[in-house]
Amino acid sequence: MLNPLYFAHRLLLSCAIVTSLSANSTVTDNANDGEKLVEKTVLYSDGPYVFTQDKHLDAHWLCHGEKVSQRLTLSTEQVDNLASKPIAVSACDLPATIHNLINQEHEILEYNGDFPVAALSDFHGQYDLMIELLTNNNIIDKNQQWAFGNGHFVITGDIFDRGDKVTEILWFLYDLEQQAKKAGGEIHLTLGNHEVMVLNGDLRYLHPKYIETAKKLNKPFEQLFTSDSIIGNWLRSKPVLVKINNMLFAHGGFHPDLAKDKRTLVDINRVFKDNLVKAELDKPREGWAEVLHTTNGPIWYRGYFAADRGKDNGATSAEIDLLLKHFKVKHLIVGHTSQKQIETRYQGRVIAIDSSIKRGQYGEILFIENEKKWRGSLSGKVLPLYHQ
C-alpha cells in the first residue's frame, strides 16, 4: 500500500506547477514517457538603465523580454537646471526621474541635531514590502512622497540581489532623497556587501530577471552600473558609514581593531571608498584597504552576533565599550545579520536592524526621537525595543 504522504507530495507538486503557469507558458510532449511538461517562458520588464555621454542621456529598458532604448539630447540650460527641473524618462510603465548627471561624493559623515531618526536595512529587491512598510510608518505618504519632514532616514545597505524589484527600489530612493532634502530631511544610504559585490561583478545572488536583463542589453550586469550611469554614479557617491547624534551606522559593523588602532571614521570611509571597485583601480587592494573589504571590514563583519551563529570570534563587552568610547557614540546600529525583528545586543549598545525584509513577508523600522527608541511594525504598530 502506498504511503498517503506520497499522494500529498504529488498534489503539492501539481499545485506548484499550475501556479507557475503564465500567459506565456507553453506545454510540450515528452517523447519518453508521454507526460506533458510545462516550459515556462517569462517575459521580464526591467529598467531603466540610464547612461550619460556629453549632453546625451541613453536610457535602456527590458520591456516584456525585448530591449527598448531612448536617447535624449539635453541643452546646456537643461543640464544646468537639472536640480530644479529634473528630466523624466519612461517606457513599459517603468519611469525614472533624473536629478543630476554627476553625484558628488558624500564627504559629510557626521550629523547632529534635534530631529527624528528612522533606520532599517536589507531590502534585497522587496519593493512592494518596502512601500508598505514605509507608508504604514509615515516615512512616505499614500502617494509615495516623502512624509518624514526634517527626519533622517538611514538604510544600511543591501538593496541588491535575491528579490526581483531592485531597480525599482534604486530609482525610488534616488528620487526620494531629493524630496527629503527639499523638506529639510536626509536619506542616508550606506553601502552594503551586496552593493559592493554587484559593482565588482560578484553576481551569485542575482534574481534570474537580472541575468536576462544583462543578456538582452548585451552587457555584463555590473556594467549597467558603471560610473557613467546615473545609478552607478549615485551609488559610488555613498559612504560606508554614517554617524548621527550618538549613533554610528554601518551595514556589517565595526571590528574592535578599528578602535585599538585608533582609526577615524573619515579614514575608514576614505580608504574603503578609494578601493571600492577592483576593475577601476590602478593596482590591487593591499594592506588595510584589503582588510576593510574582507571579513572584518564594515560591510562583512558579524562579530556582534557570534553567540547566535555559533561561530566567529565575537566582540567582547569590553571591546564594544572600547568602540563606543573611541567613536564617541552610545550605540552601534547595523544590518547584514538577519533577525526576526529589530533587536539589541550587549544590553542595548548594539542594535540589529536587519528584520528579514528579504524574505518578502515582514519587516520593521527602528525609530529614535529624543532618546526614545521603538520599533515600527509592518502595519505601523508601535512596538517596544527589547534589550538583550
Side-chain angles (χ1 to χ4, degrees):
M1 181 175 180
L2 292 176
N3 191 324
L5 291 177
Y6 170 82
F7 294 104
H9 174 74
R10 295 298 297 173
L11 177 61
L12 287 173
L13 181 60
S14 300
C15 290
I17 293 175
V18 171
T19 302
S20 72
L21 286 171
S22 71
N24 302 305
S25 299
T26 58
V27 179
T28 60
D29 287 325
N30 185 315
N32 293 325
D33 55 19
E35 292 183 0
K36 299 291 185 180
L37 295 179
V38 175
E39 292 182 354
K40 185 179 179 184
T41 303
V42 180
L43 301 181
Y44 290 115
S45 293
D46 183 33
Y49 297 89
V50 185
F51 297 83
T52 63
Q53 183 178 1
D54 298 325
K55 294 181 180 179
H56 300 297
L57 289 176
D58 291 311
H60 307 285
W61 289 262
L62 189 64
C63 290
H64 307 295
E66 297 297 328
K67 179 180 177 181
V68 172
S69 297
Q70 296 176 8
R71 165 165 274 210
L72 285 73
T73 301
L74 309 183
S75 66
T76 300
E77 181 181 1
Q78 284 178 305
V79 173
D80 293 341
N81 294 317
L82 263 180
S84 58
K85 295 181 179 180
I87 290 178
V89 296
S90 183
C92 55
D93 294 324
L94 291 171
T97 302
I98 298 161
H99 295 274
N100 43 53
L101 302 184
I102 299 176
N103 294 272
Q104 299 299 317
E105 180 77 20
H106 282 229
E107 296 182 349
I108 299 175
L109 301 176
E110 299 188 29
Y111 297 81
N112 290 281
D114 183 16
F115 45 73
V117 176
L120 46 58
S121 187
D122 294 71
F123 285 136
H124 282 297
Q126 297 292 345
Y127 173 82
D128 297 323
L129 183 61
M130 175 195 73
I131 293 296
E132 182 180 358
L133 182 61
L134 299 189
T135 302
N136 290 342
N137 284 278
N138 300 313
I139 302 297
I140 59 176
D141 62 24
K142 293 182 179 179
N143 297 316
Q144 300 181 12
Q145 301 295 297
W146 178 258
F148 200 42
N150 70 335
H152 285 230
F153 177 36
V154 186
I155 306 117
T156 60
D158 277 13
I159 292 170
F160 280 91
D161 289 337
R162 296 193 167 95
D164 67 348
K165 290 190 176 180
V166 170
T167 319
E168 289 88 336
I169 295 177
L170 291 168
W171 281 111
F172 173 77
L173 292 178
Y174 171 84
D175 186 60
L176 193 67
E177 182 180 69
Q178 300 303 316
Q179 297 176 32
K181 289 180 182 296
K182 289 179 181 178
E186 291 281 351
I187 290 181
H188 305 282
L189 171 62
T190 67
L191 296 172
N193 61 301
H194 283 267
E195 279 74 52
V196 177
M197 288 168 69
V198 167
L199 291 176
N200 282 276
D202 184 344
L203 310 177
R204 72 186 101 158
Y205 295 103
L206 278 187
H207 187 277
K209 170 180 176 178
Y210 300 105
I211 297 172
E212 183 67 11
T213 293
K215 178 181 177 181
K216 290 295 177 67
L217 298 188
N218 197 29
K219 282 180 179 287
F221 188 69
E222 69 272 19
Q223 290 187 19
L224 298 174
F225 299 95
T226 52
S227 59
D228 63 343
S229 74
I230 297 296
I231 293 298
N233 186 271
W234 178 68
L235 287 170
R236 281 168 174 75
S237 75
K238 300 304 176 189
V240 74
L241 55 86
V242 65
K243 180 180 176 181
I244 302 176
N245 293 330
N246 62 5
M247 301 166 288
L248 182 56
F249 297 83
H251 180 66
F254 300 88
H255 192 280
D257 284 349
L258 295 173
K260 295 172 184 176
D261 296 340
K262 301 188 184 304
R263 304 290 190 178
T264 69
L265 297 180
V266 171
D267 286 344
I268 295 167
N269 189 66
R270 177 182 54 80
V271 173
F272 186 94
K273 292 298 300 298
D274 284 350
N275 293 272
L276 184 61
V277 182
K278 290 180 180 179
E280 298 172 7
L281 302 178
D282 294 331
K283 59 180 182 179
R285 297 175 188 147
E286 58 184 11
W288 191 42
E290 177 68 15
V291 170
L292 287 179
H293 278 271
T294 51
T295 305
N296 289 336
I299 63 171
W300 287 104
Y301 185 58
R302 296 187 192 269
Y304 308 148
F305 309 97
D308 305 355
R309 304 175 69 239
K311 58 183 179 180
D312 301 334
N313 294 318
T316 66
S317 181
E319 287 174 325
I320 295 297
D321 285 339
L322 180 65
L323 284 164
L324 297 178
K325 181 179 179 180
H326 173 68
F327 292 122
K328 299 179 181 178
V329 294
K330 292 183 179 179
H331 304 281
L332 303 173
I333 302 180
V334 300
H336 189 44
T337 304
S338 297
Q339 317 295 328
K340 292 181 180 179
Q341 60 192 22
I342 290 176
E343 300 179 353
T344 72
R345 297 293 186 274
Y346 301 90
Q347 298 78 45
R349 288 169 288 169
V350 172
I351 305 177
I353 58 172
D354 178 355
S355 56
S356 299
I357 294 171
K358 67 185 179 186
R359 296 192 175 101
Q361 298 175 353
Y362 184 70
E364 295 183 347
I365 303 180
L366 173 69
F367 285 95
I368 308 103
E369 188 169 5
N370 298 325
E371 295 294 322
K372 295 181 180 179
K373 300 177 181 65
W374 67 92
R375 297 151 45 215
S377 73
L378 182 59
S379 66
K381 185 178 180 180
V382 173
L383 302 172
L385 178 64
Y386 297 111
H387 294 328
Q388 296 185 20

